[in-house]
C-alpha cells in the first residue's frame, strides 16, 4: 500500500476506471469533485501520468496556483498539500481534524515545503479538505 493504484500509463483515469479502483469510495470522490470545481472554489483538476512516481496523479489548480495533489488508492483517495513554514501556523488554527494537525507537527519538510496529507474515504472527510483549500487559496 505504498504506491497509488493508477500506475498504467496506457490507462487514463476515466470515470469507469476510477469507479473500479475506488469502489465504495467513488461516491465520495464524485461529491468532492463536484464541490471543489463549483462555486466558491473554482478548482480545475489536471490528470497526468508522472514517470518519476510511475502513477497517474491529479494536480488540482486555481488559476495557475497548485492547490493540492490527488492520488487514487484501492478504495480511497489522498489529497496532498504543501505549505512553506510561515503558513503552517495557520493550519493549526483551522477547524479540522486534530490528527491532521498532529501529522503536520511531525512531518519532515520536502526542501522548504511541509506536507499536509488527507485520506478521503467518507463524506465527512470532505469538510477538512474544503477548509484547507480555503486556507491554501488565500496564501501568497
Amino acid at each position: 500500500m505504498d504506491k497509488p493504484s493508477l500506475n498504467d500509463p496506457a490507462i487514463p483515469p476515466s470515470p469507469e476506471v476510477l469507479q473500479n479502483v475506488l469502489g465504495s469510495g467513488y461516491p465520495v470522490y464524485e461529491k468532492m469533485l463536484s464541490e471543489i470545481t463549483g462555486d466558491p472554489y473554482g478548482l480545475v483538476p489536471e490528470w497526468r501520468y508522472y514517470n518519476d512516481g510511475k502513477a497517474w496523479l491529479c494536480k488540482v489548480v486555481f488559476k495557475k496556483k497548485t492547490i493540492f495533489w490527488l492520488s487514487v488508492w484501492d478504495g480511497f483517495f489522498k489529497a496532498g498539500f504543501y505549505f512553506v513554514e510561515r503558513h503552517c501556523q495557520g493550519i493549526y488554527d483551522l477547524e479540522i481534524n486534530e490528527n491532521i494537525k498532529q501529522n503536520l507537527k511531525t512531518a519532515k519538510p520536502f526542501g522548504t515545503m511541509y506536507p499536509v496529507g488527507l485520506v478521503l474515504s467518507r463524506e465527512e472527510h470532505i469538510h477538512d479538505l474544503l477548509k484547507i483549500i480555503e486556507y491554501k487559496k488565500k496564501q501568497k
Side-chain angles (χ1 to χ4, degrees):
M1 195 165 108
D2 57 349
K3 193 172 179 187
S5 295
L6 303 176
N7 42 30
D8 186 339
I11 303 175
S14 67
E16 295 79 23
V17 169
L18 291 169
Q19 190 168 16
N20 192 32
V21 174
L22 290 170
S24 63
Y26 187 71
V28 178
Y29 170 81
E30 279 189 313
K31 180 169 177 44
M32 178 275 310
L33 196 61
S34 172
E35 291 270 348
I36 68 169
T37 57
D39 287 336
Y41 305 100
L43 303 184
V44 177
E46 299 175 355
W47 283 100
R48 190 171 135 205
Y49 185 81
Y50 288 88
N51 278 318
D52 56 349
K54 303 285 187 232
W56 284 91
L57 296 177
C58 183
K59 179 169 75 167
V60 182
V61 300
F62 179 71
K63 298 182 182 176
K64 291 184 178 184
K65 180 179 185 175
T66 300
I67 302 298
F68 69 95
W69 293 87
L70 186 136
S71 59
V72 175
W73 303 70
D74 190 21
F76 62 95
F77 54 101
K78 292 182 180 182
F81 294 83
Y82 295 90
F83 293 93
V84 292
E85 186 174 10
R86 71 179 184 275
H87 295 150
C88 289
Q89 184 55 49
I91 299 292
Y92 303 123
D93 299 333
L94 297 176
E95 291 182 23
I96 58 175
N97 186 300
E98 287 300 317
N99 289 336
I100 297 168
K101 298 174 188 180
Q102 284 303 108
N103 289 341
L104 176 58
K105 287 180 182 176
T106 60
K108 290 183 175 34
F110 291 105
T112 60
M113 306 296 279
Y114 287 81
V116 173
L118 284 80
V119 174
L120 297 110
S121 60
R122 299 192 318 258
E123 276 193 33
E124 51 267 26
H125 296 150
I126 296 173
H127 166 81
D128 293 335
L129 178 76
L130 296 178
K131 289 290 185 188
I132 298 172
I133 288 171
E134 289 171 5
Y135 179 69
K136 178 76 175 186
K137 281 180 67 177
K138 293 176 187 171
Q139 305 313 306
K140 300 286 182 211

